[in-house]
Amino acid sequence: MHPLRGQNNVQGASDAGLIPMFLPDYQPVGRIDLREPFEKLWHQQLDPVRGLTVVEIMNAIHAGEINGMYIEGENPAMSDPDLQHAREALAKLDHLVVQDLFVTETAFHADVILPASAFAEKSGTFTNTDRRVQLAREVIKPPGDARQDLWIIQEIARRMGLPWNYAGPADVFTEMTQVMPSLNNITWERLVREGAVTYPVDDPNEPGNEIIFTTGFPTESGRGKIVPAHVIPPDEVPDDEYPMVLSTGRVLEHWHTGSMTRRASVLDQIEPEAVAFMSPKDMRRMKLAPGDFIRLQTRRGAVEVKVRADRDVPENMVFMPFCYAEGRRQPPDQSRARSVRQDSGIQVLRGASGKGGDADGGGVGRFAHVVRRLDGHETLNLLLTQNFVLAARCVRVMDVLLSSRIREGAGKAGHRLAPMVRVQQKSTRQNHRFSRNTRPSLRGWF
């Protein structure tokens, strides 16, 4: 499968209506003439008010407008632009259900975890951005008590009193073709026979059209509508206090939030820890050496990572991947931090062991540092080598094990991880008994 999008099957999910203001096939939810076919098919009136985006959902939780969520295959506790804001929202929910392959960072907040199936463990379709609908077949059975996603959703619907009786994904696809004109002349049987079909298709016996809109656009006049765009500056621009731009994204070795690739031992050994990429010129100006620990600070938080030179990063910009959960978020002991530049927002941290503390020193001790326990009472020394963080995977485990101590120190003044405290209080529940690499079990829930 070649996704050609930011995530696999984003095109297919969007086509199917997973956009808050659209019905399937990008039909506006506010138009009654477009809603009627769906209401007739589903025997149910549909809400004409558009839904909320992910960012709007988090704001609505903080406003007390949303009290429960069902999250399937998403990890907003890692992908949201403002993690603190998102995690506070997830911790505030009265009830959170997460359906996923592993106990992700979002699943740490959940009251119930439903064990889902990976793409190789189920049959269905994936749609590329070139509109190529591809059939994927189940090649292995889900492990343990994991279930097909369709089975989980349908069982919940049945127990809520809905007459859902889909025999499999073929029935779902057939229903989609009834209300999605883009799938005209594409049947499940044709996908089984041909493997992939590109929409739109003019005839059941003809191949799909590789080029779209050759005869006109889907507007009343048939002509495309071009709207001029006026470039405006972002809400926040560099200033004297924060003179650099922080950009986040992916790295070659890890996909998106790393919920799967961080569990691949080979990939995680190649890129086992978070690093900040900076232009060599900026590093020389700030007297930074590759491997130095720096403290990146924005108006919303701070993180401590090692720095790496990258000529692809423009000057006055810092790039950092967002797939690492174990970045140290607590400020270090200021006595061992040397400010490189007062207005840079970056500090270089020297070793706390007193042996080989400088980045140009020798031995594994040169990257030794102290991770302060979440309750603020004790410290744990972690030795870091140049290419691997010792026990990096243990940070989350340590957080859970310290949950009892967190409750003791949660009310102390200056406790910077107060939002995380609420999360860790929930982490002692039954559904958090799994290790990071263990697929959740369904036993006891159905």
Side-chain angles (χ1 to χ4, degrees):
M1 299 297 167
H2 189 354
L4 294 177
R5 288 289 296 260
Q7 297 181 65
N8 204 10
N9 206 31
V10 168
Q11 185 68 46
S14 301
D15 293 349
L18 268 70
I19 301 178
M21 64 286 298
F22 291 118
L23 296 164
D25 251 8
Y26 309 95
Q27 303 177 74
V29 69
R31 286 184 51 177
I32 188 172
D33 58 320
L34 298 179
R35 288 199 313 274
E36 285 179 345
F38 292 92
E39 294 176 340
K40 182 179 180 180
L41 176 65
W42 293 335
H43 308 288
Q44 177 69 44
Q45 286 191 338
L46 301 181
D47 191 343
V49 180
R50 55 158 295 214
L52 303 178
T53 64
V54 175
V55 175
E56 291 170 340
I57 287 173
M58 297 304 173
N59 292 334
I61 296 173
H62 281 285
E65 300 170 1
I66 294 178
N67 299 314
M69 283 186 69
Y70 185 155
I71 299 177
E72 180 185 359
E74 286 289 333
N75 196 10
M78 284 292 290
S79 61
D80 194 273
D82 191 341
L83 290 185
Q84 193 78 351
H85 182 263
R87 291 171 180 176
E88 287 176 354
L90 295 173
K92 188 178 180 180
L93 289 169
D94 293 337
H95 193 71
L96 174 61
V97 179
V98 173
Q99 181 174 324
D100 216 319
L101 302 180
F102 298 102
V103 183
T104 64
E105 290 75 15
T106 298
F108 276 122
H109 299 252
D111 298 280
V112 175
I113 301 176
L114 300 176
S117 52
F119 80 97
E121 300 165 356
K122 56 192 172 187
S123 298
T125 61
F126 291 78
T127 304
N128 286 355
T129 193
D130 63 350
R131 310 176 317 282
R132 187 184 306 273
V133 183
Q134 304 174 78
L135 181 66
R137 296 175 174 85
E138 179 184 349
V139 294
I140 57 175
K141 295 294 183 182
D145 293 318
R147 294 290 189 271
Q148 300 279 351
D149 295 273
L150 177 59
W151 184 91
I152 295 174
I153 296 172
Q154 185 159 253
E155 279 298 307
I156 293 175
R158 285 173 174 173
R159 299 181 190 206
M160 294 175 65
L162 298 175
W164 286 21
N165 296 295
Y166 301 103
D171 289 353
V172 178
F173 188 85
T174 299
E175 180 177 297
M176 292 169 63
T177 60
Q178 299 179 45
V179 287
M180 295 177 61
S182 63
L183 298 181
N184 287 347
N185 300 313
I186 302 179
T187 63
W188 186 265
E189 291 73 22
R190 181 174 181 176
L191 289 174
V192 171
R193 184 173 65 253
E194 300 181 20
V197 181
T198 300
Y199 70 79
V201 183
D202 298 327
D203 186 86
N205 299 316
E206 295 291 333
N209 295 281
E210 294 186 359
I211 302 176
I212 199 171
F213 304 137
T214 55
T215 60
F217 292 88
T219 61
E220 293 183 1
S221 64
R223 303 175 64 180
K225 183 178 181 181
I226 300 176
V227 180
H230 302 284
V231 179
I232 58 176
D235 289 340
E236 294 182 5
V237 296
D239 54 24
D240 292 338
E241 187 178 5
Y242 297 94
M244 305 185 75
V245 175
L246 174 63
S247 176
T248 61
R250 303 176 180 90
V251 290
L252 176 64
E253 293 77 12
H254 294 301
W255 182 256
H256 208 53
T257 66
S259 58
M260 290 187 288
T261 57
R262 290 297 313 283
R263 292 172 169 84
S265 57
V266 174
L267 295 175
D268 205 41
Q269 288 179 14
I270 297 173
E271 285 290 353
E273 60 178 316
V275 294
F277 297 85
M278 295 179 62
S279 71
K281 187 173 182 179
D282 280 339
M283 290 182 61
R284 289 192 298 268
R285 175 170 56 86
M286 297 181 182
K287 298 182 175 60
L288 294 173
D292 276 347
F293 268 104
I294 63 173
R295 184 172 187 267
L296 296 177
Q297 182 173 348
T298 71
R299 291 179 174 86
R300 291 161 187 83
V303 67
E304 295 166 18
V305 293
K306 285 196 289 189
V307 66
R308 182 185 299 176
D310 191 328
R311 298 183 184 278
D312 292 333
V313 178
E315 292 182 40
N316 296 318
M317 176 176 284
V318 180
F319 174 82
M320 183 176 170
F322 61 88
C323 59
Y324 297 92
E326 59 269 56
R328 293 187 293 142
R329 291 177 293 276
Q330 278 192 310
D333 183 357
Q334 295 301 316
S335 63
R336 60 185 179 90
R338 177 173 63 83
S339 176
V340 177
R341 182 181 174 192
Q342 291 295 327
D343 60 353
S344 66
I346 294 179
Q347 294 176 325
V348 59
L349 307 179
R350 300 307 182 185
S353 65
K355 298 180 180 180
D358 289 341
D360 54 356
V364 297
R366 60 182 175 171
F367 292 111
H369 71 288
V370 176
V371 176
R372 189 170 302 279
R373 286 180 59 159
L374 298 184
D375 57 14
H377 286 80
E378 302 176 16
T379 59
L380 172 68
N381 293 324
L382 296 181
L383 290 179
L384 308 184
T385 65
Q386 187 169 5
N387 296 318
F388 185 74
V389 180
L390 182 63
R393 285 267 182 90
C394 294
V395 174
R396 277 293 183 185
V397 177
M398 182 182 70
D399 290 356
V400 175
L401 293 177
L402 292 176
S403 60
S404 61
R405 296 297 298 276
I406 293 171
R407 287 194 291 271
E408 296 173 6
K412 297 182 182 295
H415 195 280
R416 294 183 175 84
L417 294 183
M420 293 297 290
V421 170
R422 293 196 292 270
V423 175
Q424 298 304 334
Q425 285 177 318
K426 299 176 76 173
S427 68
T428 58
R429 297 182 182 178
Q430 179 184 2
N431 57 294
H432 293 296
R433 64 185 181 275
F434 313 107
S435 67
R436 191 173 192 272
N437 292 315
T438 300
R439 295 286 288 273
S441 170
L442 195 65
R443 190 176 292 111
W445 290 323
F446 284 95

